[in-house]
Amino acid sequence: MRRTDYCGLMTEEDIGREAIAAGWVANKRDMGGVIFIDLADHTGVLQIVFNPKNTSSEAFKLAETVRNQSVIQVRGRMRLRDEETVNPKIKTGTIELQAETGELLSGARQLPFNPVDDKVIREDLRLQYRFLDLRSERMQKNLRFRYQIAKSARGFMDKEGFIEVETPMLTKSTPEGARDYLVPSRVHPGSFYALPQSPQIFKQLLMAGGIDKYYQIARCFRDEDLRADRQPEFTQLDLEMAFVEQEDILVLLERLFKHIMSEEMGLDIHDPFPRLTWQEAMDIYGTDKPDLRFDLPICELTDLAAKSDFSIFKKAISQGGVVRALVVPGQSDFTRSTIDDLTEFAIEQGAGGMAWIAWRPDGEIYSILTKYFSEEAMQELLLQAGASPGDFILFSADKKQVVRKVLGAMRNKLADLLNLRDNSFCFLIVTDFPMFEYSEAEKRYVSQHHPFTMPYPEDIARLESDPESVRSQAYDLVLNGTELGSGSIRIHDSETQRQIFSALGLTEEEIDHRFGFILNAFAYGTPPHGGFAFGLDRLVMILLGEDSLREIIAFPKAKDASDPLTGAPDTVDREQLDVLGLALKSDEFVEGAQIGASASGRKKYRTADINVEHIAEISRLRFDKSEMAEMKENLHSIIDWTQQLEEVDTEGLEPTENVYPLENVFQTKEPFRPTPQELLANAPVSRDGCFFVPEVIAQEEE
Ligand code: ASP
């Protein structure tokens, strides 16, 4: 028998009985004569005492020599701890296993880190040694919680009559708006599958196939630049229902999330969830995913601002822009440096500057604006803004899109500054998204959601004349300022679907080539349908209060989309490419000659190419053999250093403009004329005031 009990589940009730425990050596304390080992498994730790009196000499030797994180098995008797070794912080803090015999099941090498330590470990190292990292309490808790959430969601979907259906991984490109991951076909050289960005098309085909209520915990792949809340492959809970309207889906979502929150978090979330149209969200909060844990609404002041003589307001308004403001209650005493920071932040978000008013509690108004507003106009402005004495008011005047962006971001900035977020969970449903948005990059309209979204029937007439005004039956679910998921009522007739594709700039041939199969399905009897999908990873991340998806995915990708554990993506050899009918543009990328990830997870640089002789030649220096080796070593370490810099996680850090504080220095008129001693202070060899220098310097001196 390998074990009789889990380490963390032993209690005082087990005292006196024999037990076999097995697990990882979390840490070891050698008290000279007596050795304590904390033995850990996923349930917690159990203290094991090795004492020559009761412990076999082999087991004692094992305890002396075993390294942390080795796997051992110990047989012995449970007993109460001596008073001075009681640890009230852990569940098993009053008991211990008195070891009699023990066996090393698997030794651990010198550790890059011990996952039980409280230290912050470099993320690249954690990912490279993920199997060690997963042993930490945090990762154990996170993965188990994630499983519970998925289980709870599955339980709910099942009760509601949904069935889980798997959809293909090797498929055709789906239009979610990101770049596809492509998989070359061997059987059809030159053709590619795309990994699904979502099961969108298939779930609609399932509706056409009479499935009625589908769901799937589905893996999705999007080749986008990574952020803390984005991974190239992620998991959605994806669902679709036939014969429904928008309201049916929204109510189902409210019930699903109420269920999860109550079952897994013990929280009673109030429903119906607050709802805003996209227009309202953008106007009141400047974003389509506002964090409603705090209020700080944006107020519209364009009309009153137009009455002032303030040229910045006037200019923005004359160019069709708006003047809007945020009232920050009780903060009229923001310091000058806080105001400067906020102004700088507004500028980073695209504003030209930031006008503000500090309305002191005694009624006094500090602001540049007092010069440009009559006293009544100022009072009217403050009244309309809903401000009171003691408040700070900050303004943004520009094009509507810019003002929304600036004040939307400013709301979040102020929430950080003033600690306005509590640890509640605030769900929000946003509806009536615009059908299209203009893509500057592509110089055409693209879908806000995706092209299968049904526009409001009354807006269809404006598809060509005024596409920006067409609203779609699409909705988002937002939690604490993060978009959890989106969905829509779908188009279910091929005519409307064709119209939308052509509004998106696709030619008839392109439509038939890319989407002919779904248009065809719509022509054989498809029920009205709609659905939704939310990011399971994101939900778990928010509920756990983690700030990166990497904390809740067992084997996530690093920021550069690589996997430091396996070394993926990796080069392949030429035969594999040949079989697929592929040739690479440059040989540089073929196995053995590449700058890419190696199995150890470290990048393979072309270190063999460091040609010191060549460097010496072009810099007209002569190195001897030992200098050559030293130089090579130095160049390697520079490369290593660059690589380490590249791997430093700078996510969320403010860019540093100057690493060192810079000061202006005045150049002296007299040029600096060093003595030969000063000039050659670092020369490696000198004798009697003479220096051995490279030939090139000697020549210059002549
Ligand atoms: N497929 C959509 C997405 O991944 C969700 C949906 O419309 O159901 O965002």
Side-chain angles (χ1 to χ4, degrees):
M1 196 189 291
R2 286 278 184 223
R3 73 176 160 203
T4 55
D5 296 88
Y6 283 116
C7 298
L9 301 185
M10 305 287 264
T11 67
E12 286 188 21
E13 280 178 20
D14 300 306
I15 284 167
R17 78 168 167 84
E18 191 165 272
I20 304 175
W24 286 264
V25 175
N27 48 56
K28 200 167 100 171
R29 293 174 302 283
D30 191 336
M31 311 301 277
V34 185
I35 300 172
F36 294 95
I37 282 184
D38 286 336
L39 196 64
D41 61 25
H42 73 277
T43 60
V45 290
L46 178 65
Q47 174 162 291
I48 319 279
V49 204
F50 296 80
N51 185 333
K53 265 196 258 146
N54 313 74
T55 310
S56 73
S57 59
E58 294 81 40
F60 194 78
K61 182 119 203 109
L62 168 69
E64 275 181 319
T65 52
V66 73
R67 282 218 172 104
N68 281 343
Q69 294 304 321
S70 299
V71 175
I72 62 169
Q73 180 202 43
V74 183
R75 193 187 52 77
R77 200 163 285 280
M78 292 300 300
R79 66 173 204 193
L80 264 185
R81 290 193 193 191
D82 291 340
E83 208 148 297
E84 61 277 15
T85 62
V86 165
N87 179 358
K89 287 197 209 124
I90 58 170
K91 272 193 299 177
T92 58
T94 57
I95 52 174
E96 62 192 10
L97 179 66
Q98 170 69 62
E100 286 163 19
T101 58
E103 194 187 325
L104 177 68
L105 299 182
S106 169
R109 285 193 187 156
Q110 189 76 43
L111 295 173
F113 58 87
N114 189 348
V116 299
D117 286 350
D118 253 356
K119 289 192 210 122
V120 178
I121 303 153
R122 262 186 23 225
E123 189 166 49
D124 56 323
L125 210 56
R126 288 182 58 200
L127 294 185
Q128 187 182 343
Y129 290 91
R130 193 58 158 181
F131 45 89
L132 276 183
D133 188 49
L134 290 178
R135 294 179 204 163
S136 68
E137 207 182 317
R138 174 190 194 175
M139 288 309 299
Q140 287 285 326
K141 178 179 108 208
N142 289 4
L143 292 185
R144 281 163 207 282
F145 180 76
R146 179 192 173 109
Y147 165 72
Q148 290 300 336
I149 295 286
K151 188 170 134 195
S152 171
R154 279 202 161 99
F156 177 86
M157 300 307 280
D158 183 57
K159 274 217 193 79
E160 294 289 319
F162 285 79
I163 63 162
E164 186 160 15
V165 184
E166 285 167 81
T167 52
M169 289 285 120
L170 295 177
T171 176
K172 215 168 146 118
S173 179
T174 46
E176 300 286 357
R179 208 173 286 122
D180 286 319
Y181 277 100
L182 297 176
V183 181
S185 158
R186 177 184 57 81
V187 184
H188 304 280
S191 294
F192 294 81
Y193 300 98
L195 298 181
Q197 293 189 28
S198 83
Q200 185 62 36
I201 292 182
F202 288 102
K203 66 175 173 174
Q204 291 193 240
L205 292 173
L206 287 173
M207 294 302 106
I211 291 302
D212 198 59
K213 284 181 178 178
Y214 142 94
Y215 88 102
Q216 182 183 191
I217 296 201
R219 195 63 72 81
C220 306
F221 304 85
R222 297 182 193 177
D223 187 359
E224 293 173 304
D225 291 335
L226 303 202
R227 293 191 309 233
D229 66 350
R230 234 192 232 163
Q231 279 279 309
E233 51 180 309
F234 59 94
T235 307
Q236 283 187 341
L237 189 143
D238 189 45
L239 64 94
E240 197 75 10
M241 302 157 86
F243 303 103
V244 285
E245 290 178 342
Q246 174 166 306
E247 196 55 27
D248 301 309
I249 297 172
L250 298 184
V251 169
L252 177 100
L253 292 177
E254 285 169 344
R255 291 181 33 242
L256 165 65
F257 282 94
K258 258 182 90 71
H259 169 85
I260 297 176
M261 295 301 283
S262 138
E263 201 167 85
E264 298 309 321
M265 305 289 290
L267 293 174
D268 184 15
I269 301 289
H270 204 277
D271 68 335
F273 296 168
R275 293 201 190 172
L276 291 169
T277 63
W278 179 85
Q279 184 76 41
E280 287 165 342
M282 296 304 284
D283 284 342
I284 307 175
Y285 300 107
T287 166
D288 55 9
K289 39 178 180 294
D291 189 342
L292 293 193
R293 283 175 296 173
F294 56 94
D295 200 17
L296 283 189
I298 296 170
C299 38
E300 165 60 63
L301 299 169
T302 312
D303 286 355
L304 293 176
K307 293 188 198 158
S308 79
D309 291 328
F310 190 46
S311 62
I312 292 172
F313 287 178
K314 285 185 101 101
K315 186 165 156 229
I317 297 169
S318 72
Q319 291 175 349
V322 296
V323 179
R324 293 181 181 174
L326 283 173
V327 176
V328 197
Q331 299 297 336
S332 64
D333 55 356
F334 267 157
T335 62
R336 176 47 75 175
S337 89
T338 305
I339 298 175
D340 287 348
D341 279 355
L342 295 176
T343 309
E344 207 174 295
F345 180 77
I347 293 169
E348 275 164 29
Q349 299 302 316
M354 185 186 90
W356 52 269
I357 298 174
W359 191 5
R360 295 281 147 84
D362 62 8
E364 210 170 330
I365 292 171
Y366 281 88
S367 173
I368 188 177
L369 296 178
T370 48
K371 276 202 247 161
Y372 305 98
F373 279 74
S374 68
E375 216 163 287
E376 299 91 78
M378 178 56 84
Q379 285 306 326
E380 217 182 326
L381 186 82
L382 293 170
L383 185 72
Q384 176 137 335
S388 322
D391 294 351
F392 186 85
I393 302 115
L394 50 86
F395 293 82
S396 177
D398 213 308
K399 286 199 220 79
K400 187 161 67 182
Q401 286 79 347
V402 177
V403 169
R404 280 173 172 168
K405 177 161 187 279
V406 171
L407 294 182
M410 188 62 84
R411 260 188 95 239
N412 286 329
K413 168 97 181 161
L414 288 164
D416 291 339
L417 184 73
L418 303 170
N419 231 336
L420 299 182
R421 296 183 180 89
D422 56 20
N423 44 21
S424 60
F425 295 100
C426 204
F427 287 91
L428 162 74
I429 290 172
V430 181
T431 59
D432 298 4
F433 277 75
M435 186 78 184
F436 307 107
E437 64 191 354
Y438 192 73
S439 156
E440 280 300 336
E442 294 181 45
K443 299 269 171 279
R444 65 174 183 98
Y445 284 101
V446 294
S447 304
Q448 257 264 2
H449 186 39
H450 52 57
F452 307 112
T453 303
M454 179 82 97
Y456 276 97
E458 60 270 34
D459 293 1
I460 292 187
R462 296 194 305 276
L463 267 181
E464 266 167 38
S465 57
D466 184 8
E468 275 178 48
S469 73
V470 177
R471 292 162 310 145
S472 65
Q473 298 183 51
Y475 33 83
D476 269 9
L477 182 69
V478 177
L479 172 57
N480 290 356
T482 299
E483 177 198 318
L484 265 194
S486 332
S488 56
I489 293 297
R490 326 295 184 187
I491 298 165
H492 63 276
D493 72 286
S494 29
E495 222 15 76
T496 316
Q497 189 64 74
R498 254 181 206 282
Q499 260 182 294
I500 298 299
F501 283 138
S502 65
L504 288 167
L506 267 70
T507 63
E508 285 299 308
E509 292 76 53
E510 283 168 331
I511 299 173
D512 288 329
H513 176 68
R514 289 184 58 195
F515 302 109
F517 66 99
I518 190 160
L519 293 172
N520 191 35
F522 289 165
Y524 285 86
T526 298
H529 59 286
F532 184 78
F534 70 88
L536 185 72
D537 318 272
R538 276 197 195 173
L539 174 67
V540 174
M541 177 178 89
I542 299 173
L543 296 185
L544 283 171
E546 289 286 8
D547 50 19
S548 165
L549 288 179
R550 295 187 279 270
E551 302 302 345
I552 46 97
I553 296 178
F555 299 104
K557 301 284 185 289
K559 253 191 345 191
D560 64 353
S562 72
D563 173 8
L565 173 69
T566 62
D570 208 349
T571 48
V572 294
D573 55 36
R574 210 176 286 279
E575 283 106 79
Q576 277 174 288
L577 292 176
D578 287 345
V579 172
L580 295 166
L582 295 179
L584 295 173
K585 271 192 154 172
S586 159
D587 262 358
E588 211 189 340
F589 300 114
V590 179
E591 180 82 311
Q594 193 231 351
I595 307 180
S598 72
S600 70
R602 287 176 64 77
K603 292 230 173 88
K604 258 191 268 162
Y605 286 89
R606 280 178 291 171
T607 43
D609 283 2
I610 292 182
N611 185 338
V612 183
E613 270 157 54
H614 183 64
I615 296 172
E617 201 182 296
I618 53 175
S619 46
R620 297 169 73 198
L621 295 171
R622 200 175 293 152
F623 300 133
D624 67 23
K625 261 223 167 89
S626 68
E627 284 172 328
M628 288 275 198
E630 206 177 317
M631 189 59 81
K632 206 164 185 163
E633 185 53 34
N634 280 335
L635 290 171
H636 280 306
S637 64
I638 291 174
I639 292 174
D640 271 356
W641 173 235
T642 350
Q643 188 189 353
Q644 279 172 29
L645 282 182
E646 205 181 292
E647 286 168 4
V648 169
D649 191 358
T650 50
E651 220 154 54
L653 287 187
E654 297 266 323
T656 313
E657 277 170 36
N658 295 311
V659 180
Y660 296 109
L662 293 185
E663 274 169 33
N664 285 332
V665 289
F666 293 100
Q667 205 175 0
T668 47
K669 284 214 182 82
E670 275 301 300
F672 172 59
R673 289 202 182 284
T675 62
Q677 275 76 7
E678 279 170 329
L679 189 62
L680 299 169
N682 287 330
V685 187
S686 63
R687 198 190 313 141
D688 304 333
C690 297
F691 299 89
F692 290 85
V693 294
E695 203 179 345
V696 57
I697 297 181
Q699 279 173 6
E700 301 279 306
E701 278 297 291
E702 278 164 19

